[in-house]
Amino acid sequence: MMNAEKILRKFAYPIGILFPWLLTPIAFLITDYLPKANVPLLYIVMVVFIAINVTVELAIINALSSFFAFSFFFAEPYGSIMIHQDEDLLTILLFLLTSVLVGYMATKHKHNIQKIRMREFMTDIELELLERLPKAIDTEDVVAALRDALKPWYENCVLITHGDNWATHPMIRRLTNLRKTYLEELLELRLTPEVIAKIPQLEQEHDVYFLYSSKQVIGLLRIATANIQHLPKDIFLLLLHQVNISLERTRLAADLEKEKIAKENELLRSALLSSVSHDFRTPLTTMIGATSTVIEFGEHLDKQQTRELLNTVLEEAERLNRYTQNLLDMTRLGFGKLQLECNWVSVEEIMSVVKKRLRPLLIHNFLKEDINPNLPLLYVHAALLEQAIFNVIDNAIKFSPTNASIDIECTKEEDKIIIAICDQGTGIPEDEREKVFERFHTAEKGDRRRSGSGLGLTICQGMIMAHGGNVSIHANPRRIGDKDYPGCCVRIELPINNQQEQHELPTSAE
């Protein structure tokens, strides 16, 4: 339903001309109670009303029509627009002048109020945009913020972006096919410094505003400013400038992230090659040496010597197998290709399998276990959990002195099962404890054997976190007073409630 202002605008000129004559009967009623000199006030009220609600031009027309109506009905001779009394002539002229001045001032005041309201509205939009734009992570967030800001003017503006169905907007449908083609070409424009310098000219030529970064056109804004009264162009252009700054910021952030990822990939590739070349070369060299010795001097070796050489080959082959398994696990963790195939299993079963795998490594060390017999079953991927615990104990063996024990304690705390694996090695400084979970990070001191590829604890963390658990490193509380071999404890926390669902491993483990 049309409001009063739309009705007034639709029938503006008929109302402006005829309404003073229709108002005359009311004026006659006034003269029965008030002096005739008060009649012009009634017409002035009508002129002010029209000036405020329509336009000053119509108010002037209404004032002239009121002038003739007053002279026809209330100035002698009655029934004629001719005026003979100087007093009536002066009254009518003052009435006309007052009507025009009041109508003009009322209209101007109305326009000023509308401008103030529009500027307040634009300021609110600006504040909302300035709040959202700094939080925008990518181009889509910036465009979405601008699109939301333009919603009040949906019928009078269209935001043209890649992949958007902008051709169905009423403003676009009214354009010729040639103009639509121009818009498509502008959207696909390849930006160079020379083209960027021409953007103001292109905006004026095609009646659009560019949304762009220094590399590409993000979108075009077409707005019918003539249909949006009192639009403050300075604030509007400032908003678009802020949007373009945000588009450039998100582009730079995206480029920086790509560069960072590329650099990390290059570092990872270098570390992987270094690890493979170092960790694989030594056991291969040992295996080649032992095998060639058996082949060349087998006739001169006794059974004990031959057995020792073959055991060396087996140990180095198993070591190579562990390195290869770690690299495969790391790759699968990095690309999220492993899935948890969970079953109910006890902690004792897990530790039993781990101990069997550890037997060839426990040459100079031994395990001490303290497992609470009342622990509940875990709903886990048994093979992955075994591998995680194996990696921790393998790492502890590497950093433990000869004849030192590896202490394993399994307890229950609230809704978690805690597996604490403590060694008697040289320990890890507090500021280094988070770094040991990084890929290819290895310790540089206190290692009586080679540290390995630096993937064991990284894989352990990824596998435990996939089960909703956590891995952390702490000082060994039983060896705080030992400065040379303070040791450390790896604490594995596994939840024991609501583990019925099959989960995917995270896409990355850091």
Side-chain angles (χ1 to χ4, degrees), residues 136-177:
I137 299 174
D138 50 28
T139 299
E140 288 73 18
D141 290 344
V142 176
V143 173
L146 179 60
R147 197 182 297 277
D148 290 342
L150 295 175
K151 278 183 179 179
W153 300 327
Y154 173 78
E155 295 181 356
N156 295 311
C157 70
V158 55
L159 188 58
I160 304 169
T161 56
H162 298 273
D164 187 25
N165 192 19
W166 50 271
T168 60
H169 194 278
M171 287 184 64
I172 301 299
R173 287 203 301 263
R174 292 194 292 266
L175 299 178
T176 63
N177 290 333

Short mmCIF file of all heavy atoms in Angstrom, two decimals, residues 136-177:
data_model
loop_
_atom_site.label_atom_id
_atom_site.label_comp_id
_atom_site.label_asym_id
_atom_site.label_seq_id
_atom_site.Cartn_x
_atom_site.Cartn_y
_atom_site.Cartn_z
N ALA A 136 38.06 -9.50 7.91
CA ALA A 136 37.92 -10.29 6.69
C ALA A 136 39.20 -11.07 6.43
O ALA A 136 40.29 -10.51 6.41
CB ALA A 136 37.58 -9.39 5.50
N ILE A 137 39.04 -12.37 6.20
CA ILE A 137 40.19 -13.22 5.98
C ILE A 137 40.55 -13.30 4.50
O ILE A 137 41.72 -13.35 4.14
CB ILE A 137 39.91 -14.64 6.53
CG1 ILE A 137 39.65 -14.57 8.04
CG2 ILE A 137 41.06 -15.58 6.24
CD1 ILE A 137 39.23 -15.89 8.65
N ASP A 138 39.53 -13.29 3.65
CA ASP A 138 39.78 -13.42 2.23
C ASP A 138 38.86 -12.50 1.44
O ASP A 138 38.07 -11.74 2.01
CB ASP A 138 39.59 -14.88 1.77
CG ASP A 138 38.26 -15.46 2.24
OD1 ASP A 138 37.31 -14.67 2.42
OD2 ASP A 138 38.16 -16.67 2.42
N THR A 139 38.98 -12.56 0.12
CA THR A 139 38.21 -11.70 -0.77
C THR A 139 36.71 -11.90 -0.58
O THR A 139 35.93 -10.95 -0.60
CB THR A 139 38.59 -11.98 -2.23
OG1 THR A 139 39.99 -11.70 -2.39
CG2 THR A 139 37.79 -11.13 -3.19
N GLU A 140 36.30 -13.16 -0.38
CA GLU A 140 34.87 -13.45 -0.24
C GLU A 140 34.28 -12.74 0.98
O GLU A 140 33.15 -12.25 0.93
CB GLU A 140 34.64 -14.96 -0.12
CG GLU A 140 34.85 -15.75 -1.41
CD GLU A 140 36.30 -15.87 -1.81
OE1 GLU A 140 37.18 -15.66 -0.94
OE2 GLU A 140 36.58 -16.16 -2.99
N ASP A 141 35.05 -12.67 2.05
CA ASP A 141 34.57 -11.98 3.26
C ASP A 141 34.39 -10.48 3.01
O ASP A 141 33.42 -9.87 3.48
CB ASP A 141 35.56 -12.18 4.41
CG ASP A 141 35.55 -13.61 4.93
OD1 ASP A 141 34.59 -14.34 4.61
OD2 ASP A 141 36.49 -13.99 5.64
N VAL A 142 35.32 -9.88 2.26
CA VAL A 142 35.22 -8.45 1.96
C VAL A 142 34.00 -8.17 1.09
O VAL A 142 33.22 -7.24 1.35
CB VAL A 142 36.51 -7.96 1.25
CG1 VAL A 142 36.36 -6.49 0.86
CG2 VAL A 142 37.72 -8.15 2.15
N VAL A 143 33.81 -8.98 0.05
CA VAL A 143 32.67 -8.79 -0.85
C VAL A 143 31.36 -9.01 -0.09
O VAL A 143 30.38 -8.28 -0.29
CB VAL A 143 32.78 -9.76 -2.05
CG1 VAL A 143 31.50 -9.71 -2.90
CG2 VAL A 143 33.98 -9.40 -2.91
N ALA A 144 31.33 -10.01 0.80
CA ALA A 144 30.12 -10.27 1.58
C ALA A 144 29.79 -9.09 2.49
O ALA A 144 28.61 -8.73 2.65
CB ALA A 144 30.29 -11.54 2.41
N ALA A 145 30.81 -8.47 3.08
CA ALA A 145 30.58 -7.30 3.94
C ALA A 145 29.99 -6.15 3.14
O ALA A 145 29.06 -5.48 3.60
CB ALA A 145 31.89 -6.88 4.60
N LEU A 146 30.52 -5.90 1.95
CA LEU A 146 30.00 -4.83 1.11
C LEU A 146 28.58 -5.15 0.64
O LEU A 146 27.70 -4.27 0.62
CB LEU A 146 30.90 -4.60 -0.10
CG LEU A 146 30.46 -3.52 -1.08
CD1 LEU A 146 30.37 -2.16 -0.40
CD2 LEU A 146 31.39 -3.45 -2.28
N ARG A 147 28.34 -6.39 0.29
CA ARG A 147 27.01 -6.78 -0.18
C ARG A 147 25.96 -6.56 0.92
O ARG A 147 24.86 -6.08 0.66
CB ARG A 147 27.03 -8.25 -0.62
CG ARG A 147 25.85 -8.65 -1.50
CD ARG A 147 25.92 -10.12 -1.86
NE ARG A 147 27.08 -10.43 -2.64
CZ ARG A 147 27.18 -10.27 -3.96
NH1 ARG A 147 26.16 -9.77 -4.62
NH2 ARG A 147 28.28 -10.59 -4.59
N ASP A 148 26.30 -6.90 2.15
CA ASP A 148 25.38 -6.68 3.27
C ASP A 148 25.13 -5.18 3.49
O ASP A 148 24.02 -4.77 3.82
CB ASP A 148 25.94 -7.30 4.54
CG ASP A 148 25.93 -8.82 4.50
OD1 ASP A 148 25.19 -9.38 3.66
OD2 ASP A 148 26.66 -9.45 5.29
N ALA A 149 26.18 -4.38 3.32
CA ALA A 149 26.03 -2.93 3.51
C ALA A 149 25.12 -2.32 2.46
O ALA A 149 24.44 -1.32 2.72
CB ALA A 149 27.40 -2.26 3.47
N LEU A 150 25.07 -2.91 1.27
CA LEU A 150 24.28 -2.35 0.17
C LEU A 150 22.85 -2.90 0.12
O LEU A 150 22.08 -2.50 -0.77
CB LEU A 150 24.97 -2.65 -1.17
CG LEU A 150 26.34 -1.99 -1.39
CD1 LEU A 150 26.95 -2.48 -2.69
CD2 LEU A 150 26.23 -0.48 -1.39
N LYS A 151 22.49 -3.76 1.04
CA LYS A 151 21.15 -4.36 1.01
C LYS A 151 20.02 -3.33 1.01
O LYS A 151 19.01 -3.52 0.33
CB LYS A 151 20.99 -5.33 2.18
CG LYS A 151 21.58 -6.70 1.92
CD LYS A 151 21.33 -7.63 3.09
CE LYS A 151 21.91 -9.01 2.81
NZ LYS A 151 21.70 -9.93 3.96
N PRO A 152 20.12 -2.22 1.78
CA PRO A 152 19.01 -1.25 1.75
C PRO A 152 18.76 -0.65 0.37
O PRO A 152 17.69 -0.11 0.12
CB PRO A 152 19.46 -0.17 2.74
CG PRO A 152 20.43 -0.85 3.64
CD PRO A 152 21.12 -1.86 2.78
N TRP A 153 19.74 -0.71 -0.51
CA TRP A 153 19.60 -0.13 -1.86
C TRP A 153 19.56 -1.21 -2.94
O TRP A 153 20.02 -0.99 -4.06
CB TRP A 153 20.78 0.81 -2.15
CG TRP A 153 20.89 1.94 -1.18
CD1 TRP A 153 19.87 2.59 -0.56
CD2 TRP A 153 22.09 2.56 -0.71
NE1 TRP A 153 20.34 3.58 0.26
CE2 TRP A 153 21.71 3.59 0.18
CE3 TRP A 153 23.44 2.37 -0.96
CZ2 TRP A 153 22.64 4.40 0.83
CZ3 TRP A 153 24.36 3.17 -0.32
CH2 TRP A 153 23.96 4.18 0.56
N TYR A 154 19.05 -2.37 -2.59
CA TYR A 154 19.10 -3.49 -3.51
C TYR A 154 18.53 -3.15 -4.89
O TYR A 154 19.09 -3.53 -5.92
CB TYR A 154 18.34 -4.69 -2.93
CG TYR A 154 18.21 -5.83 -3.91
CD1 TYR A 154 19.28 -6.68 -4.16
CD2 TYR A 154 17.02 -6.05 -4.61
CE1 TYR A 154 19.18 -7.71 -5.07
CE2 TYR A 154 16.90 -7.09 -5.52
CZ TYR A 154 17.98 -7.92 -5.75
OH TYR A 154 17.88 -8.93 -6.66
N GLU A 155 17.40 -2.42 -4.91
CA GLU A 155 16.76 -2.13 -6.19
C GLU A 155 17.54 -1.11 -7.01
O GLU A 155 17.35 -1.02 -8.22
CB GLU A 155 15.34 -1.61 -5.94
CG GLU A 155 14.41 -2.66 -5.32
CD GLU A 155 13.01 -2.10 -5.12
OE1 GLU A 155 12.82 -0.89 -5.40
OE2 GLU A 155 12.13 -2.85 -4.67
N ASN A 156 18.38 -0.33 -6.35
CA ASN A 156 19.08 0.75 -7.05
C ASN A 156 20.59 0.51 -7.21
O ASN A 156 21.32 1.41 -7.61
CB ASN A 156 18.87 2.07 -6.31
CG ASN A 156 17.41 2.50 -6.33
OD1 ASN A 156 16.77 2.50 -7.36
ND2 ASN A 156 16.88 2.83 -5.16
N CYS A 157 21.07 -0.68 -6.86
CA CYS A 157 22.48 -0.98 -7.08
C CYS A 157 22.65 -2.47 -7.29
O CYS A 157 21.84 -3.29 -6.82
CB CYS A 157 23.33 -0.49 -5.91
SG CYS A 157 23.11 -1.43 -4.39
N VAL A 158 23.70 -2.84 -8.00
CA VAL A 158 24.00 -4.24 -8.26
C VAL A 158 25.51 -4.43 -8.15
O VAL A 158 26.29 -3.64 -8.67
CB VAL A 158 23.48 -4.68 -9.66
CG1 VAL A 158 24.01 -3.79 -10.77
CG2 VAL A 158 23.85 -6.13 -9.93
N LEU A 159 25.89 -5.48 -7.43
CA LEU A 159 27.30 -5.82 -7.27
C LEU A 159 27.62 -6.97 -8.22
O LEU A 159 27.07 -8.06 -8.10
CB LEU A 159 27.58 -6.22 -5.82
CG LEU A 159 29.03 -6.43 -5.42
CD1 LEU A 159 29.85 -5.17 -5.69
CD2 LEU A 159 29.14 -6.82 -3.95
N ILE A 160 28.48 -6.70 -9.17
CA ILE A 160 28.83 -7.66 -10.22
C ILE A 160 30.15 -8.33 -9.85
O ILE A 160 31.19 -7.67 -9.78
CB ILE A 160 28.94 -6.96 -11.58
CG1 ILE A 160 27.64 -6.22 -11.91
CG2 ILE A 160 29.28 -7.95 -12.68
CD1 ILE A 160 27.75 -5.30 -13.10
N THR A 161 30.12 -9.64 -9.58
CA THR A 161 31.34 -10.37 -9.22
C THR A 161 31.43 -11.66 -10.04
O THR A 161 30.44 -12.09 -10.65
CB THR A 161 31.35 -10.71 -7.73
OG1 THR A 161 30.17 -11.46 -7.40
CG2 THR A 161 31.40 -9.45 -6.88
N HIS A 162 32.61 -12.26 -10.02
CA HIS A 162 32.83 -13.51 -10.74
C HIS A 162 31.92 -14.61 -10.18
O HIS A 162 31.82 -14.78 -8.97
CB HIS A 162 34.29 -13.95 -10.62
CG HIS A 162 35.26 -12.97 -11.21
ND1 HIS A 162 35.61 -12.98 -12.54
CD2 HIS A 162 35.94 -11.94 -10.64
CE1 HIS A 162 36.48 -12.00 -12.76
NE2 HIS A 162 36.69 -11.35 -11.63
N GLY A 163 31.28 -15.35 -11.07
CA GLY A 163 30.46 -16.47 -10.64
C GLY A 163 29.12 -16.10 -10.06
O GLY A 163 28.36 -16.97 -9.64
N ASP A 164 28.79 -14.79 -10.00
CA ASP A 164 27.52 -14.36 -9.43
C ASP A 164 26.50 -14.19 -10.56
O ASP A 164 26.84 -13.77 -11.67
CB ASP A 164 27.73 -13.03 -8.70
CG ASP A 164 26.48 -12.60 -7.95
OD1 ASP A 164 25.68 -13.49 -7.60
OD2 ASP A 164 26.30 -11.39 -7.73
N ASN A 165 25.25 -14.50 -10.25
CA ASN A 165 24.19 -14.39 -11.26
C ASN A 165 23.68 -12.96 -11.32
O ASN A 165 22.51 -12.67 -11.06
CB ASN A 165 23.06 -15.37 -10.93
CG ASN A 165 22.08 -15.52 -12.08
OD1 ASN A 165 22.39 -15.19 -13.23
ND2 ASN A 165 20.91 -16.02 -11.78
N TRP A 166 24.57 -12.03 -11.67
CA TRP A 166 24.23 -10.61 -11.65
C TRP A 166 23.37 -10.19 -12.84
O TRP A 166 22.73 -9.14 -12.80
CB TRP A 166 25.52 -9.77 -11.61
CG TRP A 166 26.52 -10.15 -12.66
CD1 TRP A 166 27.51 -11.08 -12.55
CD2 TRP A 166 26.64 -9.61 -13.98
NE1 TRP A 166 28.25 -11.15 -13.70
CE2 TRP A 166 27.74 -10.25 -14.61
CE3 TRP A 166 25.93 -8.63 -14.70
CZ2 TRP A 166 28.14 -9.96 -15.90
CZ3 TRP A 166 26.34 -8.34 -15.99
CH2 TRP A 166 27.42 -9.00 -16.59
N ALA A 167 23.35 -10.98 -13.91
CA ALA A 167 22.62 -10.59 -15.12
C ALA A 167 21.11 -10.56 -14.91
O ALA A 167 20.38 -9.96 -15.71
CB ALA A 167 22.96 -11.54 -16.27
N THR A 168 20.60 -11.18 -13.82
CA THR A 168 19.15 -11.21 -13.58
C THR A 168 18.67 -9.99 -12.80
O THR A 168 17.47 -9.83 -12.61
CB THR A 168 18.79 -12.48 -12.79
OG1 THR A 168 19.50 -12.49 -11.55
CG2 THR A 168 19.16 -13.73 -13.58
N HIS A 169 19.59 -9.14 -12.34
CA HIS A 169 19.19 -7.96 -11.58
C HIS A 169 18.42 -7.00 -12.49
O HIS A 169 18.79 -6.81 -13.66
CB HIS A 169 20.42 -7.27 -11.00
CG HIS A 169 20.10 -6.27 -9.95
ND1 HIS A 169 19.69 -4.98 -10.25
CD2 HIS A 169 20.12 -6.35 -8.59
CE1 HIS A 169 19.49 -4.31 -9.13
NE2 HIS A 169 19.74 -5.12 -8.10
N PRO A 170 17.36 -6.36 -11.96
CA PRO A 170 16.56 -5.45 -12.82
C PRO A 170 17.40 -4.35 -13.47
O PRO A 170 17.13 -3.97 -14.62
CB PRO A 170 15.56 -4.85 -11.82
CG PRO A 170 15.43 -5.88 -10.74
CD PRO A 170 16.77 -6.52 -10.63
N MET A 171 18.41 -3.84 -12.79
CA MET A 171 19.23 -2.79 -13.38
C MET A 171 20.03 -3.29 -14.58
O MET A 171 20.32 -2.52 -15.50
CB MET A 171 20.20 -2.22 -12.33
CG MET A 171 19.54 -1.34 -11.29
SD MET A 171 20.76 -0.64 -10.17
CE MET A 171 21.70 0.40 -11.30
N ILE A 172 20.39 -4.57 -14.57
CA ILE A 172 21.16 -5.14 -15.67
C ILE A 172 20.24 -5.53 -16.82
O ILE A 172 20.60 -5.37 -17.99
CB ILE A 172 21.96 -6.36 -15.18
CG1 ILE A 172 22.92 -5.95 -14.05
CG2 ILE A 172 22.75 -6.98 -16.32
CD1 ILE A 172 23.94 -4.91 -14.43
N ARG A 173 19.06 -6.03 -16.48
CA ARG A 173 18.13 -6.45 -17.54
C ARG A 173 17.74 -5.28 -18.44
O ARG A 173 17.41 -5.48 -19.62
CB ARG A 173 16.88 -7.08 -16.92
CG ARG A 173 17.12 -8.47 -16.35
CD ARG A 173 15.83 -9.27 -16.27
NE ARG A 173 14.84 -8.59 -15.44
CZ ARG A 173 14.61 -8.87 -14.17
NH1 ARG A 173 15.32 -9.81 -13.57
NH2 ARG A 173 13.69 -8.22 -13.49
N ARG A 174 17.75 -4.07 -17.90
CA ARG A 174 17.37 -2.91 -18.70
C ARG A 174 18.47 -2.47 -19.67
O ARG A 174 18.23 -1.63 -20.54
CB ARG A 174 17.00 -1.74 -17.78
CG ARG A 174 15.73 -1.96 -17.00
CD ARG A 174 15.23 -0.67 -16.37
NE ARG A 174 16.12 -0.21 -15.31
CZ ARG A 174 15.94 -0.49 -14.02
NH1 ARG A 174 14.92 -1.26 -13.65
NH2 ARG A 174 16.76 -0.02 -13.11
N LEU A 175 19.68 -3.01 -19.50
CA LEU A 175 20.80 -2.61 -20.35
C LEU A 175 20.75 -3.34 -21.69
O LEU A 175 20.19 -4.43 -21.82
CB LEU A 175 22.13 -2.92 -19.66
CG LEU A 175 22.40 -2.21 -18.33
CD1 LEU A 175 23.74 -2.67 -17.77
CD2 LEU A 175 22.39 -0.70 -18.50
N THR A 176 21.39 -2.75 -22.67
CA THR A 176 21.51 -3.40 -23.98
C THR A 176 22.55 -4.52 -23.89
O THR A 176 23.38 -4.57 -22.97
CB THR A 176 21.95 -2.39 -25.04
OG1 THR A 176 23.26 -1.89 -24.71
CG2 THR A 176 20.96 -1.23 -25.12
N ASN A 177 22.51 -5.41 -24.87
CA ASN A 177 23.47 -6.51 -24.89
C ASN A 177 24.91 -5.99 -25.01
O ASN A 177 25.83 -6.58 -24.46
CB ASN A 177 23.16 -7.46 -26.06
CG ASN A 177 21.88 -8.24 -25.82
OD1 ASN A 177 21.50 -8.48 -24.67
ND2 ASN A 177 21.21 -8.62 -26.89
#
